[in-house]
Amino acid sequence: RRGLKGSVGVRLSSGFTCNFLPTKMSVGGVVSSYNPHKGWGFIECNGQDVFVNKRECGGFCLAKGMQVEFGLAQGEKGSYASGVRVLVAPEEALYHGEIKSFNMNKGYGFIGCEAFPGQDVFILKSAVYGGFVPEGSLCKFKVTMEEKGPAATDVQLLGAADAMKGYGKGMWGFGKGDMWGGKGFGKGKGKGGPRVDPSLKVWIGGLPEEAKWKELQEHMEKAGKTKWCEVFEGKGKGTGTVAYTSTEDVATAISTLNGSIFAGASIQVDPWVKAPREEA
């Protein structure tokens, strides 16, 4: 069965389909460390650690102690694992995915995952800690096979999305209007800024009164390239937002710039959370 281009699809006993790249030589090893938020780690093989990146895992998420088979490839920085195949029972397998869509009112949505080519993984709100499921978020999860297809269980948000879950009502209820892209979005000129995927934005609090967007942008670019910066006025005074070009840069900004000193003040850097639509 063919899945990804240049890959071989293997159907497990439960009916799951997974992909892995063909390799010239396969070796075995045990995952010695793996960071699902960053998507990389190491596999111990014959007394040596081999670097592994999630893009070589065909949609599977590794975990410490997991047995795997893989091919050895050479890169600019040395050898790395390619075409990784996990050796676990289907019900114990972990997967990397992205929340493709989610209807908060109905309480369900779908995850896209490379390990399930041609089909999406169903997800219920109850399968996620805190019931907070922002679209576009990266996640790891397990799967059970239901009558209509794969369904996600034990879902954990990753990166910037994982950082969101601790802010809850404080973030949801802040600044209706100005905070959520109303008046004043557009470098203080009130003409409205560009539409940006919320997963690419961060909210910034604790800004000093004299804060300027250009200086804030320079500070926030310590985490990655920005494409928009705003310092709010009026009801949103003391806060702002920055848009990045990738979710990885968003995660870096939250983890490295939250609590950093800007213009003599300690600033707060949190995920940007879109306000939920109020019921009529």
Side-chain angles (χ1 to χ4, degrees), residues 20-238:
F20 64 92
L21 300 179
T23 57
K24 296 181 180 179
M25 179 184 68
S26 181
V27 296
V30 177
V31 178
S32 57
S33 65
Y34 187 78
N35 187 324
H37 297 277
K38 296 182 178 180
W40 56 266
F42 293 92
I43 300 171
E44 183 180 2
C45 178
N46 296 325
Q48 295 185 334
D49 282 339
V50 180
F51 179 79
V52 59
N53 190 289
K54 73 175 184 179
R55 62 173 172 263
E56 295 291 343
C57 298
F60 284 86
C61 179
L62 304 184
K64 184 177 181 179
M66 186 178 287
Q67 292 187 337
V68 295
E69 289 182 350
F70 59 97
L72 284 172
Q74 288 294 322
E76 295 180 358
K77 297 182 179 180
S79 61
Y80 65 91
S82 65
V84 179
R85 181 185 179 189
V86 298
L87 305 178
V88 297
E91 62 272 14
E92 295 300 322
L94 293 170
Y95 301 89
H96 271 295
E98 179 180 340
I99 309 295
K100 293 181 63 177
S101 63
F102 196 86
N103 188 315
M104 288 296 293
N105 292 327
K106 295 182 178 180
Y108 71 84
F110 295 93
I111 300 174
C113 177
E114 186 181 345
F116 299 91
Q119 58 185 327
D120 292 330
V121 180
F122 181 76
I123 177 177
L124 280 172
K125 180 180 179 180
S126 59
V128 186
Y129 173 77
F132 179 62
V133 195
E135 291 185 6
S137 300
L138 301 180
C139 61
K140 73 172 184 177
F141 58 98
K142 291 183 178 180
V143 161
T144 60
M145 286 302 296
E146 305 291 346
E147 183 178 349
K148 295 184 179 181
T153 64
D154 300 330
V155 180
Q156 179 185 343
L157 301 180
L158 300 175
D162 180 58
M164 292 182 191
K165 65 188 181 185
Y167 300 103
K169 295 181 180 178
M171 285 295 290
W172 287 114
F174 188 93
K176 206 186 294 180
D178 289 355
M179 181 60 184
W180 307 117
K183 298 178 181 178
F185 193 90
K187 297 184 181 179
K189 297 181 181 180
K191 297 183 179 180
R195 288 185 175 272
V196 179
D197 186 334
S199 67
L200 297 177
K201 298 163 67 177
V202 296
W203 175 88
I204 305 167
L207 295 175
E209 293 185 3
E210 66 276 10
K212 305 297 183 183
W213 73 265
K214 187 63 176 177
E215 296 171 355
L216 179 61
Q217 183 180 46
E218 293 176 356
H219 180 77
M220 299 305 292
E221 286 199 339
K222 294 176 182 178
K225 180 65 177 177
T226 65
K227 58 181 180 181
W228 181 260
C229 181
E230 170 77 17
V231 173
F232 294 120
E233 298 178 354
K235 293 181 181 179
K237 193 171 185 178

